[in-house]
Amino acid sequence: MTTFLIRRFVQMFFVTVVAAFLSFILLYLAPGGPIDELRGAQRQNDGMSRVDQTDVQRVRERFELDFYLPFRFSRWLIGWPSGPIFGAIGADWQVGCSIPGQVRLVYPDGRVEIIEEGCEVPLTLASIEDRRVSNGVFFGDFGLSQTILRDRPVMTLIMSRLPYTLSLMGTSILLSILIAVPIGIYSAVRQYSRFDYTMTTIAFIGSSLPSFVFGIFAILIFSILAQRAGLPYLPSGNASGARDWVMPYFGRIEAGSLVDRGLRFIMPVGVLTFINIAGWSRFIRASMLEVLQQDYVRTARAKGVKERMVIIKHALRNALIPFITLLAGVLAALFGGALITEAVFNWPGLGRLFIDALGRHDYNVVMALLFVNVVLLMIGILIADILYTIVDPRIRLS
Amino acid sequence: MANVNREILRVEGLKTHFFTDEGVVQAVDGVDFVLHRGETLGIVGESGSGKSVTSLSLLRLVSRPGRIVEGQLLFDGVDLTSISEEQMRAIRGDRISMIFQQPTTALNPVFRVGDQIIETLTIHQGLQGNEAQQRCRELLTMVGLPDPERRMRQYPHELSGGQCQRIMIAMALACNPELLIADEPTTALDVTIQAQILDLMRALREKIDTAIILITHDMGVVAEMADNVIVMYAGQVVEYAEVKQLFANPLHPYTIGLLNSMPVLGDVRDELAVIPGTVPSLINPPVGCRFAARCDRRFERCTETPPMVEPEQGRRVRCWLYR
């Protein structure tokens, strides 16, 4: 067990670093970015294609785009390089390029293009000494938010959104398990019954349509149509209201009160729960159907075990073993939030933060969320592996 | 001796059909037999002849889409087809118990074997705690598993096929059943283990005086174990006889074919005799004698359904030849 854990932790460490590096590279290599945005904005404003070189320089520094990728990554990961080593060593080592060189390309047909080539002013260790640097993700410092909450710690931003995502995901996951497992069992035990057919149909709808469709339909029915019909309705978005509102037959609802928050909680949780149930109940059903055909279930019946106990004790325990795999991702999902559903309901959780951060090139926020997700996913898988050995005696850690 | 001859089970006109999308499979189509206390009845036949379905019908464990459609199962005077599910459940594992073909898959992989035996004891005898443990140890010792203390704490995957079958036997005998149904108990085991398990069953039969229904396709096992034999073909009983008579003088052409297809030690033959053809589909079984198409002694009458006849005392055969 101990050797297993040690090996797994070493493995997890490397996987985390590699995953972080890959997402880091992809993030910066993706087209677009703060400089393109700046150029685009200027082009729109004054119709000129020339960009103020100092502005570009400022943005490059601010987003650390003047560092070569490996150094940018290591600054993010461990806060190094942050200047010359021991005062003087490596003062003139180049870690990036302050001002890229430019080359004029003349095509045979006379067209001229200016491209970046080489480096005009290199970035040395000495020149970055007075730059701000985080302690590194490795030491628990996710750096500063670059655009969303300018120059405030990413951690602060995440912590302010975390309760919303935790409550949303926690509630919906718990509800999903509590509902999906009994539905799956009952569908399997009464295979091809009317109940089973109904659930199958609902589950197919639930898993084949994209989640935003349900969000939009929920808003359409429970907010807009209900409100128009003069019925009690649910607010269509946000975690708490900005001003008081009146619900028919119900009375005045104070902005930010528990009732207000509760009502706004219902739709996002409902949509997420529905989608989860659709997938999970099918999973449990399939797994249960397979187990119900096993010889040992027949043995249990032949022993005179009550049918209820045959299902709950002998079959379910075996049927839930594959379900553990599915739950490995739950821990990560709990903190990852629901990207689309949060966006549809304007829910201020981490999922929406992620989308915002991507759109606004807040690299530190994006990376922090990705990193936490990778770590949690790996912890989830580790826990699942350990759970396997507890639930299934045939599986050993080795 | 009076007890020995008392009837424990009387099966009359048992029909178990499977209602599939392709049609009604008449897996068991009119089976009758009588079993006495302490008697061992062998049921033999090819795969698909309805042996296993017959045995599962006795416990009312035929799974969907199968169903007992007709017949009586008089167990100790009570018709099992007419009692409630709860009453039936109380009989399963207590008065009638069963051993299956694949011992390794017949035990639940996630529970310790000791707990699986104790479960039976708890359900039917209310034994718990030390008492149950004690009885479980006795049972394991009885089926010849050394070190029962350690065995009880093991999981099925830690045991061999032979050991698992011993566990199954211990479980089946936990409540001293009046009827034990063994469905191909040795088929999945190595030959040496087969012999051990058969020896064990024989020894236990002497000891606890249970009626046994032994289902097998192995004529050798029948010869060793059974008192009387039923030969089944395509869902019907085609011959019933005392075991020695059956081997000495088989009547039904199918039985003759079965016995001829058995290798005999020391008897050098170029090839084993086979019965040509296969078991007919039971969705639309042939009219008349179901074996006619494969029978080398068929004649005109075989297109009519043959009756069960009793050519001599205690022997029955379903064939026009003995009419």
Side-chain angles (χ1 to χ4, degrees):
Chain A
M1 182 75 177
T2 326
T3 41
F4 166 80
L5 281 181
I6 292 171
R7 215 174 56 212
R8 280 298 287 270
F9 279 124
V10 173
Q11 224 172 35
M12 279 162 65
F13 174 83
F14 283 110
V15 173
T16 313
V17 172
V18 170
F21 186 57
L22 289 179
S23 17
F24 199 86
I25 291 177
L26 280 175
L27 195 59
Y28 282 97
L29 288 187
I35 294 181
D36 281 356
E37 202 172 73
L38 182 73
R39 290 192 172 129
Q42 288 189 341
R43 208 171 290 149
Q44 267 181 349
N45 287 344
D46 48 25
M48 283 165 43
S49 58
R50 284 209 64 82
V51 175
D52 188 343
Q53 207 50 53
T54 54
D55 278 353
V56 171
Q57 197 54 35
R58 201 168 36 84
V59 170
R60 279 173 62 86
E61 256 174 51
R62 185 171 161 69
F63 286 88
E64 306 212 319
L65 297 178
D66 46 358
F67 279 94
Y68 292 140
L69 253 176
F71 293 106
R72 218 183 293 163
F73 180 68
S74 72
R75 269 169 74 85
W76 174 81
L77 190 70
I78 52 173
W80 183 89
S82 55
I85 309 154
F86 302 125
I89 304 171
D92 56 348
W93 290 357
Q94 187 183 355
V95 291
C97 180
S98 257
I99 300 168
Q102 289 187 334
V103 174
R104 276 167 60 96
L105 269 187
V106 184
Y107 288 95
D109 59 0
R111 272 191 303 124
V112 175
E113 196 184 355
I114 295 172
I115 57 160
E116 289 188 356
E117 169 67 50
C119 186
E120 208 174 303
V121 182
L123 191 68
T124 59
L125 282 184
S127 63
I128 60 166
E129 208 165 4
D130 46 353
R131 287 250 203 126
R132 201 165 46 190
V133 66
S134 72
N135 293 329
V137 169
F138 218 76
F139 304 102
D141 184 355
F142 288 105
L144 303 178
S145 165
Q146 287 149 314
T147 52
I148 292 179
L149 260 187
R150 230 182 150 94
D151 292 341
R152 296 274 304 282
V154 171
M155 213 52 188
T156 317
L157 189 59
I158 289 180
M159 286 323 256
S160 72
R161 303 290 192 94
L162 188 60
Y164 294 103
T165 280
L166 272 185
S167 58
L168 180 70
M169 298 306 288
T171 313
S172 69
I173 288 170
L174 200 70
L175 276 179
S176 309
I177 294 175
L178 289 180
I179 300 172
V181 172
I183 288 181
I185 296 171
Y186 200 76
S187 283
V189 173
R190 298 257 175 278
Q191 193 189 8
Y192 303 138
S193 65
R194 189 167 298 171
F195 176 86
D196 183 30
Y197 278 124
T198 312
M199 282 305 150
T200 304
T201 313
I202 295 176
F204 272 129
I205 297 170
S207 41
S208 53
L209 288 179
S211 59
F212 69 85
V213 173
F214 294 107
I216 290 170
F217 267 102
I219 290 173
L220 184 70
I221 295 167
F222 298 111
S223 300
I224 300 171
L225 292 181
Q227 193 176 4
R228 277 194 201 150
L231 296 168
Y233 66 96
L234 295 169
S236 63
N238 295 323
S240 75
R243 64 177 86 89
D244 296 0
W245 52 290
V246 177
M247 181 140 101
Y249 307 112
F250 204 80
R252 189 168 191 79
I253 286 159
E254 206 180 311
S257 65
L258 205 65
V259 181
D260 182 37
R261 287 166 177 274
L263 289 173
R264 289 164 191 279
F265 195 55
I266 295 175
M267 272 201 292
V269 166
V271 167
L272 285 176
T273 307
F274 179 71
I275 293 166
N276 272 341
I277 290 175
W280 292 357
S281 66
R282 298 300 297 173
F283 193 91
I284 300 276
R285 176 186 181 268
S287 166
M288 195 73 187
L289 276 179
E290 197 191 311
V291 168
L292 282 176
Q293 290 182 356
Q294 298 293 317
D295 288 354
Y296 53 79
V297 171
R298 189 182 56 190
T299 307
R301 290 196 178 118
K303 267 158 77 174
V305 178
K306 287 198 168 69
E307 187 61 20
R308 230 184 122 73
M309 291 304 284
V310 171
I311 307 285
I312 295 172
K313 185 178 165 191
H314 287 267
L316 186 61
R317 172 103 188 252
N318 284 286
L320 285 182
I321 294 172
F323 191 56
I324 292 173
T325 317
L326 217 71
L327 292 183
V330 158
L331 193 66
L334 209 54
F335 288 85
L339 300 183
I340 291 160
T341 308
E342 285 187 9
V344 170
F345 291 101
N346 207 25
W347 189 257
L350 294 174
R352 217 189 82 204
L353 177 65
F354 185 76
I355 292 183
D356 286 351
L358 268 181
R360 296 173 63 182
H361 309 296
D362 202 332
Y363 294 125
N364 281 347
V365 173
V366 173
M367 278 310 296
L369 290 173
L370 282 177
F371 187 79
V372 170
N373 227 304
V374 169
V375 171
L376 288 177
L377 188 62
M378 265 183 312
I379 294 176
I381 293 171
L382 179 66
I383 293 176
D385 284 352
I386 295 173
L387 267 181
Y388 263 126
T389 65
I390 296 172
V391 179
D392 190 344
R394 284 166 297 185
I395 299 171
R396 287 262 178 77
L397 297 177
S398 59
Chain B
M1 232 13 226
N3 210 19
V4 174
N5 286 324
R6 253 183 55 215
E7 184 179 302
I8 180 75
L9 180 72
R10 172 178 287 270
V11 175
E12 280 178 359
L14 175 69
K15 290 189 178 181
T16 303
H17 294 176
F18 286 78
F19 298 85
T20 66
D21 291 343
E22 287 81 39
V24 179
V25 181
Q26 299 166 12
V28 175
D29 204 34
V31 165
D32 311 85
F33 63 87
V34 175
L35 183 66
H36 299 93
R37 289 181 192 272
E39 177 189 338
T40 300
L41 176 72
I43 302 184
V44 293
E46 284 167 280
S47 315
S49 59
K51 313 177 299 253
S52 289
V53 177
T54 303
S55 65
L56 285 172
S57 299
L58 296 178
L59 279 173
R60 280 182 32 193
L61 280 179
V62 181
S63 49
R64 279 179 314 164
R67 180 154 59 82
I68 299 175
V69 290
E70 235 182 272
Q72 279 195 319
L73 305 167
L74 289 167
F75 175 70
D76 204 11
V78 178
D79 184 6
L80 296 180
T81 58
S82 65
I83 61 176
S84 73
E85 175 58 30
E86 180 56 28
Q87 285 169 315
M88 188 65 227
R89 188 195 59 72
I91 290 177
R92 289 184 199 129
D94 186 26
R95 301 183 63 194
I96 307 179
S97 58
M98 189 158 177
I99 316 174
F100 298 100
Q101 189 175 140
Q102 286 280 350
T104 44
T105 57
L107 289 165
N108 196 320
V110 302
F111 297 113
R112 295 174 200 278
V113 294
D115 294 341
Q116 299 193 45
I117 296 173
I118 287 173
E119 190 182 22
T120 314
L121 295 169
T122 310
I123 292 171
H124 298 294
Q125 302 184 336
L127 292 187
Q128 274 172 342
N130 282 335
E131 231 181 334
Q133 303 250 337
Q134 182 54 39
R135 175 81 179 119
C136 180
R137 273 191 292 273
E138 284 169 25
L139 286 165
L140 290 181
T141 313
M142 185 179 84
V143 296
L145 282 172
D147 200 0
E149 200 64 51
R150 192 167 72 89
R151 289 279 173 260
M152 278 169 68
R153 276 182 273 110
Q154 285 181 313
Y155 289 97
H157 72 274
E158 295 171 293
L159 303 173
S160 69
Q163 288 169 327
C164 282
Q165 196 59 294
R166 284 171 195 266
I167 300 281
M168 283 300 293
I169 293 172
M171 201 188 291
L173 298 181
C175 303
N176 295 315
E178 288 149 82
L179 171 60
L180 174 69
I181 303 167
D183 186 356
E184 309 250 9
T186 56
T187 309
L189 304 174
D190 290 346
V191 181
T192 47
I193 311 294
Q194 274 183 15
Q196 289 176 13
I197 295 291
L198 288 178
D199 283 347
L200 173 69
M201 285 181 63
R202 241 194 323 251
L204 292 174
R205 183 177 57 182
E206 314 280 287
K207 212 158 138 188
I208 59 175
D209 195 35
T210 303
I212 299 177
I213 293 180
L214 178 69
I215 292 158
T216 180
H217 61 258
D218 186 339
M219 291 305 253
V221 171
V222 170
E224 264 185 83
M225 297 282 299
D227 299 317
N228 296 305
V229 186
I230 282 176
V231 181
M232 281 190 73
Y233 184 78
Q236 293 176 330
V237 176
V238 293
E239 185 163 3
Y240 174 87
E242 198 267 325
V243 66
K244 287 207 186 75
Q245 287 184 340
L246 187 89
F247 279 87
N249 179 26
L251 296 181
H252 198 283
Y254 177 62
T255 316
I256 297 169
L258 269 188
L259 290 173
N260 280 341
S261 63
M262 232 175 96
V264 180
L265 195 64
D267 182 3
V268 184
R269 277 186 279 185
D270 286 340
E271 54 188 283
L272 279 172
V274 290
I275 307 174
T278 52
V279 183
S281 154
L282 294 178
I283 291 181
N284 285 309
V287 183
C289 175
R290 294 189 175 178
F291 185 62
R294 298 170 72 186
C295 184
D296 51 7
R297 296 176 64 186
R298 68 175 169 268
F299 57 110
E300 305 81 59
R301 265 210 115 156
C302 295
T303 51
E304 290 167 51
T305 305
M308 192 60 116
V309 291
E310 195 165 352
E312 41 190 290
Q313 178 64 31
R315 288 204 78 163
R316 283 181 289 139
V317 61
R318 190 188 293 276
C319 184
W320 284 115
L321 289 172
Y322 303 95
R323 179 72 178 178

